[in-house]
Amino acid sequence: MIKNLSFWEQEFMTQNIDFAILGAGIVGLSTAFFLKNKFPESKIVVFERQFPGLGASTKNAGFACIGSPTEILSDLDSIGEQATIDLIKMRWNGLKLLQEVVNPDKMDFGNLGSKELFVNQESKDIATTELTYLNQIMEEATLIPDVFRIVKNTETIGLQDIAIHCDLESQLNPMLMMDELYKKVLRTGVLVNYGAAVKQIIPETGTMVVEDGAEISPKQLIVCTNGMAMDLLDIEDLRAVRNQVLMTKPLCSLPLSGNYHVDRGYIYFRTYGNRLLIGGARNIDTDTETCSTFGDNQKIITFLKAFVKDHLYQADDLEYDTQWSGILGVGSSKQPIIRAISDYTTIAVRLGGMGVAIGTGVGNKVAEMITA
Ligand SMILES: Cc1cc2nc3c(=O)[nH]c(=O)nc-3n(C[C@H](O)[C@H](O)[C@H](O)COP(=O)(O)OP(=O)(O)OC[C@H]3O[C@@H](n4cnc5c(N)ncnc54)[C@H](O)[C@@H]3O)c2cc1C
């Protein structure tokens, strides 16, 4: 809430704004960064309800990923070849741009690769049969040949004996990524107003009404609240869905390294030091997980814990440290929605499960679209 502001504060934070950006996630801050580069004299203020943001950008799993074999096959089925290549390209180029904006060392960026693991023979057979085709698709998108290769799976229990490895995937620490991005944005002269919860948007005028009733009317408003935009605007084909994550305590003998994908990316896990992070499985309870409210889902937690016990770690020291959820924005298409919805309001939402990869590029695209 923007409560009890002095005249000076009001004038500084809420008036004569050229570009107001709602949401300080990766998209909002990237948009602010690129817009300020394009219009250095403009007054840009990012409005966000709490520090460091309450969405997904600091709550995600930190996979810098471009797509697992079964995920890509599923995309090929649903959106066709060219759109799938474009999607992979968007992720690959987005990750390159992210590393230009945020120094990789400052966000713990590590190129540890990834593996797709298979729960049954059928999914393994489909993915391995299509390997040559998948590599052609990947090469078109990244210009790198033979990205996927078959390797032995010796790290897990009761899953198929082979996995598909990808060298191109990396991992990072999302909180460090956002902290660096935030500092970089501040250095450009953009203001970030944490504590501004917006309860209404009037798209026709680009006006935001904050929880205490204060109205903010910038020359242009850019809404970067991902799935939560549906609480404020009527946007076709956008749903907010919750995603669960669990983190173990440090484990004594963890034989895993890098990113792991299972079942089209619905289940994912990685290591962080000698801890195991596992998340996802929202497809096992879609009714409950279609929402923009935070909270834990016991059915999913039980499922993920059983997956760990059955397949990943059976030593006695397995204990969980913490669990949390984040909110995604999804729809029938995996393409983000970036468009002006009036002369005064633009939206950049629906980042799906790949906002780390494409968020910086989405911000850049918004800045390219916007005219003064
Ligand atoms: C658990 C989880 C794991 C994920 N793992 C990965 C991964 O490994 N790799 C990957 O690429 N992607 C991953 N994602 C997806 C990725 O995190 C998101 O796509 C990305 O962070 C979206 O960024 P954003 O800036 O669009 O939205 P957000 O980061 O959600 O930012 C939106 C901001 O808007 C603010 N806001 C919303 N409504 C209001 C309001 N009314 N008033 C004021 N402020 C408001 C919120 O507080 C929030 O800070 C994951 C997501 C989740 C939830």
Side-chain angles (χ1 to χ4, degrees):
M1 269 179 291
I2 308 186
K3 270 191 180 151
N4 191 33
L5 290 188
S6 70
F7 172 82
W8 321 114
E9 291 163 337
Q10 269 189 46
E11 190 182 45
F12 188 66
M13 296 303 289
T14 70
Q15 289 169 19
N16 304 314
I17 298 173
D18 295 303
F19 303 108
I21 293 164
L22 179 60
I26 185 168
V27 175
L29 290 185
S30 301
T31 300
F33 177 76
F34 290 112
L35 261 182
K36 189 69 179 171
N37 281 329
K38 183 170 174 183
F39 302 113
E41 301 306 321
S42 63
K43 179 168 178 180
I44 302 180
V45 187
V46 180
F47 292 88
E48 166 59 55
R49 55 190 170 188
Q50 88 173 43
F51 183 82
L54 190 58
S57 293
T58 50
K59 297 189 185 300
N60 63 64
F63 280 41
C65 57
I66 53 173
S68 67
T70 56
E71 183 186 359
I72 293 168
L73 286 172
S74 158
D75 290 345
L76 284 164
D77 247 4
S78 55
I79 58 175
E81 191 176 282
Q82 194 52 51
T84 302
I85 293 168
D86 291 345
L87 207 56
I88 300 165
K89 219 184 257 179
M90 195 180 1
R91 293 163 110 171
W92 181 238
N93 292 338
L95 285 169
K96 285 200 266 186
L97 189 61
L98 170 65
Q99 291 169 84
E100 283 171 30
V101 177
V102 177
N103 180 334
D105 292 341
K106 297 245 164 102
M107 55 179 169
D108 255 355
F109 195 92
N111 178 228
L112 303 182
S114 69
K115 282 184 192 143
E116 164 137 26
L117 304 173
F118 302 99
V119 281
N120 56 42
Q121 174 93 32
E122 194 194 351
S123 55
K124 174 180 92 170
D125 287 348
I126 293 170
T128 50
T129 310
E130 296 292 346
L131 199 70
T132 308
Y133 178 48
L134 284 165
N135 272 330
Q136 280 165 12
I137 297 280
M138 289 301 257
E139 186 169 354
E140 282 227 25
T142 65
L143 306 180
I144 301 172
D146 302 325
V147 160
F148 291 130
R149 66 190 147 86
I150 294 174
V151 293
K152 274 196 177 151
N153 171 21
T154 51
E155 294 137 82
T156 63
I157 310 137
L159 296 176
Q160 296 295 302
D161 56 350
I162 59 129
I164 297 182
H165 185 275
C166 174
D167 286 325
L168 299 188
E169 294 210 348
S170 302
Q171 51 182 243
L172 53 80
N173 178 323
M175 186 63 231
L176 295 181
M177 169 187 82
M178 289 304 295
D179 185 46
E180 275 303 307
L181 184 56
Y182 170 57
K183 288 179 193 153
K184 197 138 188 187
V185 165
L186 286 189
R187 284 199 290 272
T188 64
V190 167
L191 303 174
V192 185
N193 190 340
Y194 287 102
V198 168
K199 66 173 185 185
Q200 191 192 353
I201 289 176
I202 304 159
E204 295 75 18
T205 55
T207 302
M208 292 188 289
V209 184
V210 185
E211 227 164 54
D212 69 352
E215 289 194 8
I216 297 159
S217 295
K219 287 191 189 138
Q220 292 207 47
L221 170 65
I222 301 137
V223 179
C224 304
T225 54
N226 203 18
M228 292 163 288
M230 66 171 222
D231 296 337
L232 297 166
L233 293 166
D234 195 11
I235 301 171
E236 209 183 311
D237 200 12
L238 173 70
R239 274 177 297 126
V241 296
R242 195 164 56 188
N243 208 265
Q244 185 78 48
V245 182
L246 314 176
M247 177 79 96
T248 69
K249 292 191 170 166
L251 303 173
C252 66
S253 58
L254 193 60
L256 305 168
S257 162
N259 300 341
Y260 293 84
H261 307 272
V262 181
D263 191 10
R264 294 157 292 158
Y266 276 114
I267 303 173
Y268 51 85
F269 54 95
R270 59 170 278 191
T271 49
Y272 180 67
N274 51 357
R275 292 168 189 268
L276 174 69
L277 175 154
I278 184 163
R282 69 185 160 88
N283 55 330
I284 71 159
D285 193 5
T286 46
D287 288 347
T288 314
E289 292 315 274
T290 305
C291 66
S292 61
T293 45
F294 291 86
D296 292 321
N297 181 318
Q298 277 316 318
K299 186 175 170 189
I300 290 178
I301 290 171
T302 305
F303 175 88
L304 291 172
K305 284 187 174 175
F307 188 90
V308 172
K309 196 84 193 145
D310 292 345
H311 301 300
L312 308 182
Y313 197 83
Q314 294 182 333
D316 290 341
D317 67 328
L318 175 61
E319 274 187 73
Y320 289 85
D321 199 349
T322 180
Q323 62 197 34
W324 67 90
S325 61
I327 306 295
L328 296 164
V330 300
S332 61
S333 157
K334 280 190 173 175
Q335 291 286 343
I337 303 173
I338 309 170
R339 68 161 183 265
I341 56 168
S342 79
D343 286 347
Y344 300 98
T345 306
T346 297
I347 55 172
V349 297
R350 198 173 71 187
L351 277 281
M354 52 189 197
V356 172
I358 68 170
T360 325
V362 168
N364 191 27
K365 189 157 181 202
V366 177
E368 279 172 2
M369 268 173 54
I370 300 253
T371 48

Coordinates of all heavy atoms in Angstrom, one line a residue, residues 210-241:
V210 N -4.4 2.0 -6.5 CA -3.6 1.2 -5.4 C -4.6 0.9 -4.3 O -5.7 1.5 -4.2 CB -2.4 2.0 -5.0 CG1 -1.5 1.3 -4.0 CG2 -1.6 2.4 -6.2
E211 N -4.2 -0.1 -3.4 CA -5.1 -0.6 -2.4 C -5.8 0.5 -1.5 O -6.9 0.4 -1.2 CB -4.4 -1.6 -1.5 CG -5.2 -2.8 -1.3 CD -4.3 -3.9 -0.8 OE1 -3.6 -3.7 0.2 OE2 -4.2 -5.0 -1.4
D212 N -5.0 1.6 -1.2 CA -5.6 2.6 -0.4 C -6.4 3.6 -1.2 O -6.8 4.6 -0.6 CB -4.5 3.3 0.4 CG -3.6 4.2 -0.5 OD1 -3.7 4.1 -1.7 OD2 -2.7 4.9 0.1
G213 N -6.6 3.4 -2.5 CA -7.4 4.3 -3.3 C -6.7 5.3 -4.1 O -7.2 5.9 -5.0
A214 N -5.4 5.4 -3.9 CA -4.6 6.4 -4.7 C -4.6 5.9 -6.1 O -4.5 4.8 -6.4 CB -3.2 6.4 -4.1
E215 N -4.7 6.9 -7.0 CA -4.7 6.7 -8.4 C -3.4 7.1 -9.1 O -2.9 8.2 -8.8 CB -5.8 7.4 -9.1 CG -7.2 6.8 -8.8 CD -8.3 7.3 -9.7 OE1 -8.0 8.0 -10.7 OE2 -9.5 6.9 -9.4
I216 N -2.8 6.2 -9.9 CA -1.6 6.6 -10.6 C -1.9 6.5 -12.1 O -2.3 5.5 -12.6 CB -0.5 5.6 -10.2 CG1 -0.2 5.7 -8.7 CG2 0.8 5.8 -11.0 CD1 0.4 4.5 -8.1
S217 N -1.6 7.7 -12.7 CA -1.9 7.8 -14.2 C -0.7 8.1 -15.0 O -0.4 9.3 -15.2 CB -3.0 8.8 -14.4 OG -4.2 8.4 -13.8
P218 N 0.1 7.1 -15.4 CA 1.3 7.4 -16.2 C 0.9 7.7 -17.6 O -0.3 7.5 -18.0 CB 2.0 6.0 -16.1 CG 0.9 5.0 -15.9 CD -0.1 5.7 -15.2
K219 N 1.9 8.1 -18.4 CA 1.6 8.3 -19.8 C 1.3 6.9 -20.5 O 0.5 6.8 -21.3 CB 2.7 9.0 -20.5 CG 2.8 10.4 -20.2 CD 3.8 11.2 -21.1 CE 4.0 12.6 -20.5 NZ 5.4 13.0 -20.6
Q220 N 2.1 5.9 -20.0 CA 1.8 4.5 -20.5 C 2.0 3.5 -19.4 O 3.0 3.7 -18.5 CB 2.8 4.2 -21.6 CG 2.6 5.0 -22.9 CD 3.1 4.2 -24.1 OE1 2.8 3.1 -24.3 NE2 3.8 4.9 -25.0
L221 N 1.2 2.5 -19.3 CA 1.3 1.5 -18.3 C 1.6 0.2 -19.0 O 1.1 -0.2 -20.0 CB -0.1 1.4 -17.6 CG -0.3 0.2 -16.7 CD1 0.6 0.3 -15.5 CD2 -1.7 0.1 -16.2
I222 N 2.6 -0.5 -18.4 CA 2.9 -1.9 -18.9 C 2.7 -2.9 -17.7 O 3.3 -2.8 -16.7 CB 4.4 -1.9 -19.4 CG1 4.6 -0.8 -20.5 CG2 4.7 -3.3 -19.9 CD1 5.8 -0.1 -20.3
V223 N 1.8 -3.8 -18.0 CA 1.4 -4.8 -17.0 C 2.3 -6.1 -17.1 O 2.2 -6.7 -18.1 CB -0.1 -5.1 -17.0 CG1 -0.5 -6.1 -16.0 CG2 -0.9 -3.8 -16.9
C224 N 3.1 -6.4 -16.1 CA 4.0 -7.5 -16.2 C 3.7 -8.4 -15.0 O 4.6 -8.7 -14.2 CB 5.4 -7.1 -16.2 SG 5.8 -5.9 -17.5
T225 N 2.5 -8.8 -14.8 CA 2.1 -9.6 -13.6 C 1.8 -11.0 -13.9 O 1.2 -11.7 -13.1 CB 0.9 -8.9 -12.8 OG1 -0.2 -8.8 -13.8 CG2 1.3 -7.6 -12.3
N226 N 2.2 -11.4 -15.1 CA 2.1 -12.8 -15.5 C 0.7 -13.4 -15.3 O -0.3 -12.7 -15.6 CB 3.2 -13.7 -14.8 CG 3.5 -14.9 -15.6 OD1 3.2 -15.1 -16.8 ND2 4.1 -15.9 -14.9
G227 N 0.6 -14.6 -14.7 CA -0.8 -15.2 -14.5 C -1.7 -14.3 -13.6 O -2.9 -14.4 -13.8
M228 N -1.1 -13.6 -12.7 CA -1.9 -12.8 -11.8 C -2.6 -11.6 -12.5 O -3.4 -10.9 -11.9 CB -1.0 -12.3 -10.6 CG -0.6 -13.5 -9.8 SD 0.8 -13.1 -8.7 CE 2.1 -13.0 -9.9
A229 N -2.2 -11.3 -13.7 CA -2.9 -10.3 -14.5 C -4.4 -10.6 -14.6 O -5.2 -9.7 -14.8 CB -2.3 -10.2 -15.9
M230 N -4.7 -11.9 -14.5 CA -6.2 -12.2 -14.7 C -7.0 -11.7 -13.5 O -8.2 -11.6 -13.6 CB -6.3 -13.7 -14.9 CG -6.0 -14.5 -13.7 SD -6.4 -16.2 -13.9 CE -7.1 -16.6 -12.2
D231 N -6.4 -11.4 -12.4 CA -7.1 -10.8 -11.2 C -7.5 -9.3 -11.5 O -8.3 -8.8 -10.8 CB -6.2 -10.8 -10.0 CG -5.9 -12.2 -9.5 OD1 -6.7 -13.2 -9.9 OD2 -4.9 -12.4 -8.8
L232 N -6.8 -8.7 -12.5 CA -7.0 -7.3 -12.8 C -7.6 -7.0 -14.1 O -8.2 -5.9 -14.3 CB -5.7 -6.5 -12.6 CG -5.0 -6.6 -11.3 CD1 -3.6 -6.1 -11.4 CD2 -5.8 -5.7 -10.3
L233 N -7.4 -7.9 -15.1 CA -7.8 -7.6 -16.5 C -8.4 -8.9 -17.0 O -8.1 -10.0 -16.6 CB -6.5 -7.3 -17.3 CG -5.8 -6.0 -17.0 CD1 -4.5 -6.0 -17.7 CD2 -6.6 -4.8 -17.4
D234 N -9.2 -8.6 -18.1 CA -9.9 -9.8 -18.7 C -9.0 -10.1 -19.9 O -9.0 -9.5 -20.9 CB -11.2 -9.3 -19.2 CG -12.1 -10.4 -19.6 OD1 -11.8 -11.5 -19.3 OD2 -13.2 -10.1 -20.2
I235 N -8.2 -11.2 -19.8 CA -7.2 -11.5 -20.9 C -7.6 -12.9 -21.3 O -7.6 -13.9 -20.5 CB -5.8 -11.5 -20.4 CG1 -5.4 -10.1 -19.9 CG2 -4.8 -11.9 -21.5 CD1 -4.1 -9.9 -19.2
E236 N -7.8 -13.0 -22.6 CA -8.2 -14.3 -23.2 C -7.0 -15.3 -23.1 O -5.9 -14.9 -23.3 CB -8.6 -14.1 -24.6 CG -9.6 -15.1 -25.1 CD -9.8 -14.9 -26.6 OE1 -10.1 -13.7 -27.0 OE2 -9.8 -15.9 -27.4
D237 N -7.3 -16.6 -22.8 CA -6.4 -17.7 -22.8 C -5.2 -17.4 -21.8 O -4.0 -17.7 -22.2 CB -5.9 -17.9 -24.2 CG -5.2 -19.3 -24.3 OD1 -5.4 -20.1 -23.4 OD2 -4.6 -19.5 -25.3
L238 N -5.5 -16.9 -20.6 CA -4.5 -16.8 -19.6 C -5.0 -17.4 -18.3 O -6.1 -17.1 -17.9 CB -4.1 -15.3 -19.4 CG -3.2 -15.1 -18.2 CD1 -1.8 -15.6 -18.5 CD2 -3.1 -13.6 -17.8
R239 N -4.3 -18.3 -17.7 CA -4.7 -18.9 -16.5 C -3.5 -18.8 -15.5 O -2.3 -18.9 -15.9 CB -5.0 -20.4 -16.6 CG -6.4 -20.7 -17.0 CD -6.5 -22.2 -17.3 NE -5.7 -22.7 -18.3 CZ -4.9 -23.8 -18.2 NH1 -4.7 -24.4 -17.0 NH2 -4.2 -24.2 -19.2
A240 N -3.8 -18.5 -14.2 CA -2.8 -18.6 -13.2 C -2.8 -20.0 -12.6 O -3.8 -20.6 -12.3 CB -3.1 -17.6 -12.1
V241 N -1.6 -20.6 -12.5 CA -1.5 -21.9 -11.9 C -0.4 -21.9 -10.9 O 0.6 -21.3 -11.1 CB -1.3 -23.1 -12.9 CG1 -2.5 -23.3 -13.8 CG2 -0.1 -23.0 -13.7

